Amino acid sequence: MAQNMYDNEAFFKEYIQLPRQVKGLDGTPEWPDLQSMFPRRLEGKNVADLGCGFGWVSRYCIEQGAAKVLAVDISGKMLSKARTFPSNGITYVQGDLESFNLDFDAYDFIFSSLTLHYISNLARLLSEIKFALKPGGSFVFSIEHPIFSAPRNAKFIKDSEGHSVWPLDGYFDEGKRTTNWLAEGVVKEHHTVSSWITKLLSARFTLWQIKEWCPSEQQVKENPMWADEQQRPSFLLIRVVKDVPTLEQF
Ligand SMILES: C[S@@+](CC[C@H](N)C(=O)[O-])C[C@H]1O[C@@H](n2cnc3c(N)ncnc32)[C@H](O)[C@@H]1O
């Protein structure tokens, strides 16, 4: 059974105050890049949102015309909050992605934001996603970038000239990282970039797009506290496809 930190009272209290949860996609700085990796048309499509949280992207897909969205999360608190928003076309299901089963050949598009770095049996989940996608279907996901997740003490330090430096260590030491982000003892999984790509290729996906997110000059101008985010990538965004998409699916 996976850790369910988002149902921890103290963690959840902090989490719901993050700008990306208060403002939704408008408060999610990597959203424009992530959204640009989506299939061009979602009208009539069948979508799954894995680790849906408050369901921001599930609702976006419905607004774009998706026929239905299966939105899965392990946290009852996250799902309760998601259900307070209009949920026409969305089926929320509480489930653990470590063991969750998806229907065969059922989805045109599968999405997951900032969730896969919590999963220990990635090979199982990736092959489940491949199994559930229709031929030509896409899987788009974001994770904490491995340069961000690797260090034992993941905090910027100042060098002798006062520049912010990210103390990268442990990069090749894959496995669990226990952090004190929002609450003590949050467990995440670290893998190198090549390991992520190898796992996707081993599941027989075709790599379609990959982006290392960094805020634009305009975003830093509007949010000066993001300046340090230009020093190292914080998120890795990936689109893979099952077989080659047709023009309509692209
Ligand atoms: C950082 S939040 C992201 C939520 C949402 N995707 C978003 O971007 O706003 C990570 C989500 O993954 C969920 N999660 C973590 N481990 C999970 C697991 N094993 N099975 C299902 N959901 C999980 C958490 O409950 C949480 O809602």
Side-chain angles (χ1 to χ4, degrees), residues 2 6 15 21 51 53 73-75 78 95-97 113-115 119:
Y6 289 74
Y15 186 77
Q21 298 309 333
D73 204 285
I74 196 171
S75 159
M78 297 299 275
D96 180 358
L97 293 171
S113 155
L114 299 180
T115 298
I119 302 300

Side-chain angles (χ1 to χ4, degrees), residues 6 15 20-21 24-25 28 47-61 69-83 85 87 90-95 97 100 110-116 118:
Y6 289 74
Y15 186 77
R20 61 177 59 227
Q21 298 309 333
L25 300 177
T28 302
V47 176
D49 182 2
L50 306 181
C52 62
F54 292 174
W56 297 110
V57 172
S58 301
R59 288 188 291 284
Y60 169 82
C61 291
V69 179
L70 171 74
V72 183
D73 204 285
I74 196 171
S75 159
K77 282 186 185 295
M78 297 299 275
L79 292 172
S80 296
K81 175 76 183 181
R83 288 189 180 105
F85 297 96
S87 56
I90 305 174
T91 304
Y92 288 107
V93 175
Q94 187 165 16
L97 293 171
F100 197 80
I110 300 186
F111 174 75
S112 183
S113 155
L114 299 180
T115 298
L116 261 57
Y118 291 108

Side-chain angles (χ1 to χ4, degrees), residues 9 11-12 28 40 42 55 93 130 147 184 195 222 227 247:
E9 202 68 57
F11 181 97
F12 187 75
T28 302
R40 263 189 308 214
L42 289 174
V93 175
K130 175 87 186 315
I147 286 177
E184 292 203 353
S195 180
E222 287 162 14
L247 209 53

